[in-house]
Amino acid sequence: MARIVLGVGGGIAAYKAVYLLRVLTAKGHFVTPILTDSATRFVGSTTFSALASEAAKVSLFEDSDSIPHTHLGRAADLICIAPATADLIFKLANGAADDLLTATVMASKAQVVLAPAMHEEMWENFAVQRNIKTLSDAGYFIVPPSSGSLAAGDTGMGRMAEPDVISDFVSCALAEGKKSLLGRKVLVSAGGTQEPIDPVRYIGNRSSGKQGRAFAKVAACFGAEVVLVTSTPAPEFPGVKRVFVSSAEEMSKSMHLEREGADIVIMAAAVSDFRVANVSTSKIKREGRERMTLELVANGDILTSLTSSKSGECIYVGFAAETDSLEENLEKKLRAKGVDIIVGNDVTRPGAGFDSDTNSVTVLTKSGDRLSLELVSKEMVAVKVLAMAHRMLEGF
Ligand code: CTP
């Protein structure tokens, strides 16, 4: 059990902070909510008080305690701020302490987990990105926002991460206690590759790239310098360099190039095993054809080529997407691919695999350790696997 201050900023996602509070208390934590003045315009403090371990706090001055910020700040094991608005992020990055929440953060040495929530334009604004970077560099865990419904019927990037995902980050920040991947380089591949048939068509697969992107964001959140080689669109995220590729061949080139200096390589991409032998330079016409045969040739295995040419200390993580005999194929791929860790998922299971926000995986290491994760967020899968890779790097 930990003592957690739950800071709630003034955004529509404040209603989700109520559920987050429930999740955190259900995990046995002692949670004290602090609402900013504008947060109370979205959700009343009584709602938070009813679910919290003690009454919600809203003011520096109305408490019987004359210095509530120092008491709350010192007692906290962790401060979780959700939602964090652009204004709150600005204040925290610049050392403001003009209300109970910012003063408490200032008066605390606890880890801070911060979940931004705002409209896409605001999230992409240079000032917000600069302030996020300042906080991330200072050791804050930034829980990446996602794309989806925003306030007033808008959609886009900037939607606060789901409470379960934020809670996963809190658990991890509590367990690790620090930005464990600081100074480490993590290289991740994501998405399904596209193998051209002609200038307008390709052979692809259903991989959305979500699991790979989750790895990139979580690794950045834990302080790593991250390179994401991706064949599917990936929004900007502080600390993540994106390299866009399309075919397996392009992905292979970029992975080999970017591997320089990497401590952890995660091959989460769904690489096409075959490509078209003779790619047409002009659009193939339908007229006069009732059948068509494409000749395919095998692509090289990127992961095997990386592990068989490795030098220095680096942890390799592979994936196994299976529709049957998961266990058997997992063991086989762990050895055949020469990886340290393999993450297997049965892509036919509901709530697991392609395009889902959740995943159910079995993780196997070359020393025989095994971990099963049932229907957890893709971020949680990343958190657990990165923690394993980190332990291997540190030799414990
Ligand atoms: N992989 C790779 N290069 C390929 C094919 C796969 O690097 N040409 C990597 C994937 O990124 C993944 C692992 O190998 O980390 C396993 O991929 P998967 O598609 O599950 O298996 P395959 O090796 O392609 O074998 P099969 O399709 O027969 O199951």
Side-chain angles (χ1 to χ4, degrees):
M1 185 197 86
R3 267 193 107 97
I4 297 176
V5 165
L6 174 64
V8 184
I12 186 59
Y15 81 92
K16 287 197 200 169
V18 176
Y19 181 69
L20 174 59
L21 171 60
R22 252 207 125 99
V23 174
L24 294 174
T25 50
K27 283 187 175 174
H29 300 307
F30 185 97
V31 189
T32 309
I34 300 181
L35 279 67
T36 64
D37 193 33
S38 43
T40 61
R41 292 172 183 257
F42 290 88
V43 186
S45 62
T46 317
T47 309
F48 284 93
S49 292
L51 296 165
S53 312
E54 62 175 336
K57 320 268 180 207
V58 291
S59 166
L60 263 169
F61 305 108
E62 279 160 18
D63 208 277
S64 52
D65 185 348
S66 58
I67 44 167
H69 57 298
T70 49
H71 289 152
L72 288 165
R74 276 188 201 140
D77 297 307
L78 184 138
I79 299 175
C80 174
I81 303 175
T85 59
D87 184 56
L88 192 48
I89 290 166
F90 163 76
K91 282 178 159 180
L92 294 168
N94 290 282
D98 62 349
D99 63 9
L100 181 58
L101 178 56
T102 51
T104 302
V105 176
M106 188 76 97
S108 181
K109 290 192 170 146
Q111 290 288 347
V112 183
V113 172
L114 180 134
M118 64 199 76
H119 266 72
E120 182 168 272
E121 295 80 359
M122 294 175 85
W123 171 248
E124 287 173 356
N125 184 282
F126 82 95
V128 171
Q129 288 300 315
R130 183 191 57 203
N131 294 332
I132 283 283
K133 183 169 181 333
T134 302
L135 295 176
S136 175
D137 289 348
Y140 280 38
F141 292 82
I142 310 294
V143 187
S146 60
S147 203
S149 305
L150 303 168
D154 286 344
T155 54
M157 187 66 190
R159 179 183 160 88
M160 188 175 82
E162 292 309 314
D164 289 318
V165 172
I166 300 172
S167 159
D168 288 348
F169 273 84
V170 167
S171 304
C172 201
L174 283 169
E176 298 273 315
K178 62 182 167 42
K179 290 202 139 190
S180 52
L181 294 175
L182 211 58
R184 299 288 191 181
K185 177 177 173 182
V186 176
L187 172 63
V188 189
S189 70
T193 60
Q194 302 179 350
E195 307 304 319
I197 298 171
D198 69 13
V200 297
R201 303 180 180 97
Y202 64 83
I203 297 173
N205 63 61
R206 293 177 51 215
S207 168
S208 61
K210 277 186 183 168
Q211 184 62 77
R213 288 197 295 280
F215 265 101
K217 290 172 185 176
V218 171
C221 182
F222 281 85
E225 170 204 342
V226 181
V227 180
L228 174 66
V229 175
T230 178
S231 56
T232 43
E236 262 185 77
F237 189 71
V240 179
K241 174 183 144 187
R242 297 164 304 162
V243 177
F244 292 101
V245 295
S246 174
S247 64
E249 213 171 343
E250 282 177 28
M251 182 168 276
S252 179
K253 271 193 198 133
S254 295
M255 289 299 286
H256 279 275
L257 206 67
E258 300 291 345
R259 185 193 21 183
E260 181 71 33
D263 298 288
I264 302 173
V265 174
I266 297 157
M267 196 69 204
V271 185
S272 173
D273 288 329
F274 295 91
R275 66 177 183 277
V276 176
N278 298 306
V279 179
S280 173
T281 51
S282 53
K283 187 180 172 206
I284 300 170
K285 292 290 181 192
R286 184 207 152 113
E287 210 178 310
R289 293 176 192 265
E290 282 312 315
R291 269 169 192 271
M292 184 172 151
T293 307
L294 286 175
E295 192 190 344
L296 304 179
V297 288
N299 277 325
D301 190 300
I302 303 173
L303 187 52
T304 312
S305 74
L306 287 167
T307 55
S308 58
S309 60
K310 67 182 173 190
S311 64
E313 198 195 6
C314 180
I315 302 298
Y316 285 84
V317 181
F319 273 73
E322 306 296 341
T323 52
D324 39 33
S325 313
L326 180 66
E327 290 290 322
E328 200 182 306
N329 287 324
L330 210 52
E331 303 250 2
K332 218 192 286 174
K333 280 185 187 166
L334 176 77
R335 294 190 209 296
K337 307 261 173 184
V339 291
D340 303 281
I341 301 174
I342 193 130
V343 183
N345 57 0
D346 177 347
V347 289
T348 60
R349 286 191 55 179
F354 298 135
D355 210 27
S356 167
D357 289 327
T358 51
N359 216 346
S360 293
V361 299
T362 303
V363 187
L364 202 63
T365 70
K366 67 175 183 203
S367 51
D369 292 337
R370 173 181 292 269
L371 173 75
S372 284
L373 297 169
E374 282 294 314
L375 273 190
V376 295
S377 67
K378 288 190 168 171
E379 282 81 2
M380 191 55 164
V381 171
V383 160
K384 295 282 187 194
V385 173
L386 281 168
M388 269 178 158
H390 176 241
R391 278 200 296 276
M392 286 183 171
L393 271 177
E394 302 281 322
F396 58 87

